[in-house]
Structure formats: structure tokens, C-alpha cells
Amino acid sequence: MPEEGHSLPYVANLSILFKEVPLLERAAAAREAGFTDVEYWWPFDTAVPARDEVDAFVKSLDGVRLRGLNFYAGDMAAGERGLVSWIGRETEFADSLVVALGIAERTGCRSFNALYGNRLDGEDPAKQDDLARAHLDKAADAAAKIGAQLVLEPLSGADRYPLKTAADAVAVLDDLGRDNVRLLADLYHLAVNGDDLDALATTHISRIGHVQIADAPGRHQPGTGELDIEGHLAKLQNAGYAGFVGIEYVPEPDTVTSLAWLPKTRRGRA
């Protein structure tokens, strides 16, 4: 991928990249590869990790900046996709919010991905949406106190997950009416769901709080699929997006080799 086109800074998602090493060693591996900024999904197995687990995670970030963190999303491997709208798991959501804010205070992280959650058998979707509004409102209040944002992400590959397009997420944002709750535009998920990626720059640009990339089909590094990732990022920057671009793909055949598309001079930010 050529260097011209856009100058947006990249952030390495270490829940999907550098999985060749244990999670607590990935920030060092990313730093060695030239990255200065990283992001993670929820890096613990439970909503309330032990204090020494949190301390070890924070310590592992030495030399890089934590730019984004997911709230606890449940058992992702089993298909769970967030607790924001999950009736009956309110305590887990509240607990993970406290943990995430504590990490933010220690690291400077100011962006949190609040995965909305799947539709549940036997539950009224309207009641789930009511709970989601209450959770997002509470989390937005807490985030605002430290100058942070929440982002809502449409997902692919999860039939029960109700946010599939940018418009789906923006409808929630409109209903919520909070300036610090914004759209996470993952070009891979949106493309797989058949969304209009050009509309991100023409219709939704003012709502975008973060962007992530992977090529489609396949969810591997740029150049392995059919998306004009460079072109879409250039359109977003030209329309006014000035934030980070999260590298959130399944590397092939391994992380370091997969990064050949991105010169080392573009992996860091002063």
C-alpha cells in the first residue's frame, strides 16, 4: 500500500495482532515492530480481574500508549458480544466500567468500545434497548469526567447482534444524544454487512469516534481482499476525520510478515 493517500496515524490492536506471544508480551513486541500506540479488547477473562492482573497489564504497556479499550463483552469465543443490553448482567457491566476507568486513570486511555450485546431469547428487544440507553448514559457520564469517549461498533458474523450498519449505530447515538458517544467505523465489518463505506465520509463523518481496518473478504491485512482501504481512509481524512486507525485484522501468515504493507516510518507517532 503506498504511503501517499492519507496521513492518519495507526494503532495496533493487540488482542488480534502479535498473538504469537502471550498477551502481556505483545506491547513489547509491537514496540519492537515500531508501534507507539496500541489498543485492546477486554484483556481479562472476567469482568472483575484480580488487582495483580490489572497491575501486570498496565506494567506491560511500558513504552507504548494505550489508545483504546473494550469494556468486558462476555465470552467472545462462545459468541457473546457485549453486556450493554444484556438484561441480568448489569453488575458485570458496572464492575467492568469501574475497572476500565481505573486503567484509564493510570494509562491515559480515553476511548472505550461498548459492545452493544446480542438479542436474547425471551427478552423484549425494547427492554434491552432501554437498558442499553441507561448503561450508555451512565458510562458516558463517567467517561466525560476524564475527557473520554465511548464508541459503538456495528459487527458482522453475529446474527443476534442488532447493530450491523453505520446507520444502526447512529440511530442509537441519536436516541442517546450524548456528544461523547460516537460511531466506531470498522471498514471490515461494515463491508461484510453490505454497508456503503463511502457514506462514512459523506453522511456519518461527524459521528465517527474511531476507525478500524481489515481487508474483506477474509479479515486479513490490506491487499489480501477487495477493499480500497487506502482510498476510504483518504476520503475520511479529507472529510475531517483526524483520529487513529486501528489495525484489527487476522495476520497472515504471522503478524510481522503481515505488516509488510505498512512502512515502519508510519507505525509510530511522536
Side-chain angles (χ1 to χ4, degrees), residues 32-260:
E32 176 68 21
F35 289 99
T36 57
D37 300 272
V38 300
E39 64 183 13
Y40 291 79
W41 303 339
W42 188 249
F44 312 108
D45 292 333
T46 63
V48 187
R51 179 174 296 183
D52 61 347
E53 289 183 82
V54 177
D55 290 343
F57 173 69
V58 171
K59 184 178 180 181
S60 78
L61 299 173
D62 184 47
V64 296
R65 293 174 292 233
L66 181 63
R67 295 290 182 176
L69 183 67
N70 285 24
F71 293 139
Y72 179 58
D75 187 345
M76 295 279 285
E80 295 178 1
R81 291 294 184 270
L83 306 184
V84 170
S85 64
W86 194 314
I87 296 170
R89 300 183 73 175
E90 294 87 349
T91 298
E92 288 174 276
F93 179 80
D95 287 344
S96 76
L97 173 60
V98 172
V99 174
L101 291 170
I103 291 171
E105 289 177 359
R106 299 172 65 179
T107 63
C109 179
R110 293 297 182 264
S111 186
F112 304 102
N113 184 0
L115 290 181
Y116 198 80
N118 295 331
R119 292 305 193 202
L120 303 172
D121 289 338
E123 295 288 359
D124 181 354
K127 290 185 177 180
Q128 286 195 254
D129 292 337
D130 287 344
L131 178 63
R133 279 192 295 271
H135 276 160
L136 292 171
D137 208 39
K138 176 183 177 181
D141 276 341
K145 292 177 180 177
I146 61 170
Q149 68 171 3
L150 310 182
V151 288
L152 283 183
E153 182 178 17
L155 296 180
S156 63
D159 291 343
R160 291 173 175 257
Y161 191 84
L163 309 184
K164 292 182 168 56
T165 67
D168 291 337
V170 167
V172 177
L173 303 183
D174 287 343
D175 187 45
L176 192 65
R178 300 296 298 253
D179 290 340
N180 68 329
V181 186
R182 305 172 67 79
L183 168 68
L184 195 169
D186 185 310
L187 302 190
Y188 168 78
H189 287 305
L190 295 174
V192 168
N193 286 342
D195 209 359
D196 180 1
L197 297 187
D198 287 334
L200 293 174
T202 59
T203 303
H204 302 303
I205 189 64
S206 66
R207 316 305 294 274
I208 297 175
H210 188 41
V211 173
Q212 292 176 332
I213 60 167
D215 214 335
R219 201 179 184 181
H220 301 302
Q221 60 265 28
T224 58
E226 301 173 357
L227 295 185
D228 179 14
I229 294 175
E230 183 78 5
H232 288 300
L233 294 177
K235 290 176 182 177
L236 287 168
Q237 185 173 35
N238 290 337
Y241 180 72
F244 280 84
V245 175
I247 302 173
E248 197 190 51
Y249 60 70
V250 178
E252 204 176 56
D254 59 78
T255 300
V256 172
T257 303
S258 80
L259 287 165

